[in-house]
Amino acid sequence: MSSPAPQTSARKPRADAERNRERLILAAKAAFAEAGADVSLEEIARRAEVGIGTLYRHFPTRDAVVEAVYRRELGQLTEAAERLLAERTPLEALRAWLRLSVDYLATKRVIAPALNATPDGSTLYKSGGPALQDAISRLVGAALASGEVRPDVQPSDIFQVLAGVSYGSASPGWEASARRLIDIMVDGMRKPAERP
């Protein structure tokens, strides 16, 4: 009688490897924002305070770095919707989420050309739309259900506002202006009796 084959399970990455991966993604995001998506991989490794070999173990190509930064930004933004709804009133959750979206839009503007040039980039880039629409629908639905906002507010309105806010994103001071416009828009969504 033969003994059963040992069960194999995927090994969880070591904690230090996970930390290095996260440091590399954060360093890449900062480097892309400051120097553009063509910044050298050596510079990204230097900023993350790891060797170039560590970078290549996690990201074998520049495309992999760009995609990881985009996935992280998109994932953080879409996951923030539920967290914010649990922590704040629905309208303030929507405001906070829209303010977070400015950082996502700023990163997306810098890496979009590089992302679209990768083999899987355009598919990944296009997948962001439905994920963002779903987050916006949850936030707007909660705000409508709470009665905090005008009943004619639609998720598509918010998506359209984001597109408009991103216009001019290459201009200096764009982020501060975008956040101010978001505050104006959110205050304008309140039911008339609830406006400050």
Side-chain angles (χ1 to χ4, degrees):
M1 181 172 176
S2 62
S3 60
Q7 290 186 351
T8 58
S9 62
R11 271 183 39 192
K12 189 176 178 185
R14 292 184 347 218
D16 61 333
E18 281 296 312
R19 278 192 304 273
N20 285 341
R21 185 177 195 286
E22 184 65 14
R23 286 169 64 183
L24 284 161
I25 292 172
L26 290 172
K29 177 185 172 185
F32 293 157
E34 291 174 26
D38 293 334
V39 68
S40 73
L41 296 180
E42 290 79 8
E43 174 62 13
I44 293 170
R46 184 191 68 73
R47 287 174 181 240
E49 299 177 346
V50 299
I52 191 68
T54 299
L55 182 143
Y56 282 118
R57 270 194 299 283
H58 290 282
F59 308 108
T61 64
R62 170 179 295 285
D63 293 351
V65 175
V66 171
E67 289 178 13
V69 169
Y70 182 74
R71 283 181 198 280
R72 181 180 183 278
E73 292 299 298
L74 179 63
Q76 283 189 321
L77 184 59
T78 56
E79 291 166 9
E82 289 304 317
R83 177 179 51 79
L84 290 168
L85 283 169
E87 297 171 353
R88 304 168 189 232
T89 66
L91 186 61
E92 288 309 311
L94 177 60
R95 181 192 309 270
W97 188 89
L98 288 167
R99 290 176 65 85
L100 286 175
S101 73
V102 173
D103 189 45
Y104 163 79
L105 292 169
T107 301
K108 180 179 161 182
R109 179 191 60 81
V110 172
I111 67 172
L115 185 64
N116 281 327
T118 68
D120 297 327
S122 61
T123 302
L124 177 59
Y125 188 70
K126 289 176 187 168
S127 74
L132 293 175
Q133 286 175 336
D134 182 56
I136 290 169
S137 292
R138 287 195 315 268
L139 288 158
V140 170
L144 286 166
S146 74
E148 292 180 274
V149 299
R150 297 166 37 147
D152 60 341
V153 173
Q154 299 293 316
S156 59
D157 298 333
I158 307 303
F159 205 72
Q160 201 168 7
V161 165
L162 279 182
V165 164
S166 69
Y167 183 78
S169 61
S171 303
W174 166 79
E175 289 93 342
S177 174
R179 288 185 179 98
R180 188 171 55 254
L181 289 171
I182 284 168
D183 286 342
I184 292 167
M185 186 266 307
V186 170
D187 289 342
M189 288 172 41
R190 292 181 191 273
K191 282 187 177 176
E194 295 181 9
R195 289 185 184 162

